[in-house]
Amino acid sequence: MANLITIEQKILKKNADLALENRREIEGRGLYALGLVSAPGSGKTSLLERSLAALQGRIRCAVIEGDVQTDRDAQRIAALDVPVVQIVTNGTCHLEARMVQEALPRLPPRDLDLLFIENVGNLVCPSSYDLGEHARAVLLSVTEGEDKPIKYPSMFRTADVLVLTKIDLLPHLDYDIEAARRFARQVNPALRIFEVSTRDGSGMDAWTAFLAEQVAARQRAAG
Amino acid sequence: MANLITIEQKILKKNADLALENRREIEGRGLYALGLVSAPGSGKTSLLERSLAALQGRIRCAVIEGDVQTDRDAQRIAALDVPVVQIVTNGTCHLEARMVQEALPRLPPRDLDLLFIENVGNLVCPSSYDLGEHARAVLLSVTEGEDKPIKYPSMFRTADVLVLTKIDLLPHLDYDIEAARRFARQVNPALRIFEVSTRDGSGMDAWTAFLAEQVAARQRAAG
């Protein structure tokens, strides 16, 4: 295994270098970039759709979509008239900085404020790969069980924001949302936590206000 | 990347050899072994708990539990008085045959019929690793969206059985279960499909009858 570990370290080092270049490129364009990660089916694309609709006319958004196969998610985003670039990883279980580096030049060259990077649905592997985003939001749907943060700690430790999704289903579940928050804070006390339903819109105002703040803060920092 | 691909092929070849040894060991003990795979939070452990309770007194079960961190799932199984061995992968995103090989000697040496091997929650990486099980069941909860089989095709192609879980939530979702079945069959026409709720028990009789049949067929094959 020693050889494999050395190669993995080299890959992660190379990835970190490329992520740094991505971040420079992203900042050079005056963009704030947010990564979205979660298990398959936690609602990343649905949250994106609702966020893009809510921000329309206020904040100019673009999306990089990562999928193992198919461009179904990119099609959902393109239907909203938002610039989107699809990365199909062909079996690879996570996005890497080099894939994002290839995607960036395919975005419109200017007049954008906010770039979402939606990763492959996977609560393990994407946590190791910096893509050059400014912050990472991990989604956890309330149908998935409370204990995921301690069972998949690396993903929650490397995230800045936790979005608890599908909260409209809470009345139909035996789910202890306080326990989920407690487990998440146990792994990462600094996590900022939102609770949303893209179905009935609960919590979407607070979430989109947060996005707008982050964009404004980045633009102030860029002068 | 050429080096990495060679190493991956070597790892998979070595894994296949160990899986063959595992299968011999499992069959030498007169066991039928079923792998359980899914995204995090699709309900593998809940399905296990309900299945073990339903089979109690008829079929003698044991469990190998795979998790990235924590032994919470193993504790849930042990509470049912079923022999369980925990594998903590320490960050690895899938079980491998060598891990199962280390776990097998820690099971009770005889008087078992059915071995469940619960993999790490991940719809991508576990699909490449044969563990020596006789069949693989992939779970997909109806809260995860219909299109997962075509977005994560390898997992559905390498599975023998699809269990659609959490069907008690269907009245509260915009979910097209026929579309889910259609996408699954598109990827793997041979998939045997079950629909269950561990909350209200729907579909559990058909599922446990299937397990009992598989065990009986294996015991007939073993003479």
Side-chain angles (χ1 to χ4, degrees):
Chain A
M1 292 298 289
N3 261 342
L4 189 67
I5 289 168
T6 311
I7 289 185
E8 198 190 337
Q9 284 170 340
K10 277 190 195 161
I11 290 173
L12 289 177
K13 170 71 174 71
K14 174 80 178 156
N15 185 79
D17 293 345
L18 291 177
L20 201 66
E21 291 178 22
N22 288 352
R23 195 166 287 115
R24 273 196 215 110
E25 165 76 13
I26 286 165
E27 296 191 352
R29 291 167 172 237
L31 275 164
Y32 173 78
L34 180 70
L36 296 177
V37 292
S38 79
S42 301
K44 291 184 294 301
T45 313
S46 296
L47 182 67
L48 256 181
E49 287 172 322
R50 286 294 292 241
S51 305
L52 294 170
L55 295 171
Q56 202 167 27
R58 296 156 52 200
I59 292 184
R60 300 162 299 182
C61 299
V63 176
I64 294 177
E65 271 293 341
D67 283 291
V68 173
Q69 287 295 343
T70 84
D71 64 350
R72 290 176 62 86
D73 290 351
Q75 287 178 27
R76 285 169 65 180
I77 301 305
L80 300 172
D81 238 353
V82 168
V84 57
V85 175
Q86 175 79 52
I87 300 171
V88 174
T89 67
N90 275 317
T92 300
C93 56
H94 57 272
L95 289 182
E96 298 181 9
R98 65 179 170 84
M99 303 176 189
V100 173
Q101 190 157 61
E102 284 171 26
L104 285 171
R106 293 159 58 203
L107 290 172
R110 58 176 67 81
D111 297 332
L112 292 173
D113 305 305
L114 172 54
L115 172 63
F116 293 100
I117 305 176
E118 182 181 340
N119 218 308
V120 172
N122 183 336
L123 264 189
V124 187
C125 316
S127 71
S128 307
Y129 293 84
D130 183 1
L131 303 177
E133 70 273 69
H134 291 102
R136 192 182 276 177
V138 58
L139 278 66
L140 179 62
S141 85
V142 296
T143 61
E144 287 174 52
E146 299 87 352
D147 59 0
K148 295 300 166 286
I150 56 170
K151 290 180 69 178
Y152 302 88
S154 173
M155 191 63 96
F156 292 82
R157 200 173 289 131
T158 57
D160 305 280
V161 181
L162 166 63
V163 187
L164 291 162
T165 60
K166 309 191 191 181
I167 61 167
D168 57 290
L169 292 174
L170 283 173
H172 313 296
L173 301 169
D174 310 309
Y175 191 81
D176 182 349
I177 200 163
E178 271 314 305
R181 298 170 69 102
R182 199 168 56 243
F183 283 134
R185 289 251 160 78
Q186 180 181 326
V187 169
N188 182 351
L191 267 182
R192 188 149 172 184
I193 302 180
F194 294 88
E195 300 176 8
V196 308
S197 162
T198 58
R199 199 156 179 247
D200 67 18
S202 319
M204 285 302 296
D205 285 350
W207 167 245
T208 51
F210 165 76
L211 294 174
E213 275 164 31
Q214 298 304 302
V215 169
R218 174 100 287 278
Q219 291 176 344
R220 278 195 307 274
Chain B
M1 291 300 290
N3 262 342
L4 189 66
I5 288 166
T6 312
I7 289 184
E8 198 189 338
Q9 284 169 340
K10 277 191 196 160
I11 290 173
L12 288 177
K13 171 70 175 70
K14 175 79 179 156
N15 186 78
D17 293 344
L18 292 178
L20 201 65
E21 291 178 22
N22 288 352
R23 196 166 286 114
R24 273 196 214 111
E25 163 77 13
I26 286 165
E27 296 191 350
R29 292 169 172 236
L31 274 164
Y32 173 78
L34 180 70
L36 297 176
V37 293
S38 79
S42 300
K44 292 184 294 304
T45 313
S46 296
L47 182 66
L48 256 181
E49 287 172 320
R50 286 295 289 241
S51 305
L52 295 170
L55 295 170
Q56 201 167 26
R58 296 157 51 199
I59 292 186
R60 298 162 299 181
C61 299
V63 177
I64 293 176
E65 272 294 339
D67 282 291
V68 173
Q69 288 294 344
T70 83
D71 63 351
R72 289 176 63 87
D73 290 351
Q75 286 177 31
R76 285 169 64 181
I77 302 304
L80 300 172
D81 237 354
V82 168
V84 56
V85 175
Q86 174 79 52
I87 300 171
V88 174
T89 68
N90 276 317
T92 300
C93 56
H94 57 271
L95 288 183
E96 298 181 9
R98 65 179 171 80
M99 303 175 189
V100 173
Q101 190 157 61
E102 285 172 26
L104 285 172
R106 292 161 58 202
L107 290 171
R110 58 177 64 82
D111 299 331
L112 292 173
D113 306 304
L114 171 53
L115 172 64
F116 294 101
I117 305 175
E118 182 180 342
N119 217 309
V120 172
N122 183 336
L123 264 190
V124 188
C125 316
S127 72
S128 307
Y129 294 84
D130 183 2
L131 303 177
E133 69 273 67
H134 291 103
R136 192 183 276 176
V138 58
L139 278 67
L140 180 61
S141 85
V142 296
T143 60
E144 287 175 52
E146 298 86 352
D147 59 359
K148 294 301 166 283
I150 57 172
K151 291 179 68 180
Y152 302 88
S154 174
M155 191 63 96
F156 291 82
R157 201 172 287 131
T158 58
D160 305 278
V161 181
L162 167 62
V163 187
L164 291 163
T165 60
K166 308 190 191 181
I167 61 167
D168 58 289
L169 291 174
L170 283 172
H172 314 296
L173 302 169
D174 311 308
Y175 191 81
D176 182 350
I177 199 163
E178 271 315 305
R181 297 171 68 103
R182 198 167 58 242
F183 284 134
R185 288 252 160 76
Q186 179 182 327
V187 169
N188 182 352
L191 266 183
R192 190 149 172 184
I193 303 181
F194 294 88
E195 299 176 7
V196 307
S197 162
T198 57
R199 198 157 181 249
D200 67 18
S202 319
M204 285 301 297
D205 285 351
W207 167 246
T208 52
F210 164 76
L211 294 174
E213 275 164 30
Q214 299 303 302
V215 169
R218 175 97 290 280
Q219 291 177 344
R220 280 195 305 274

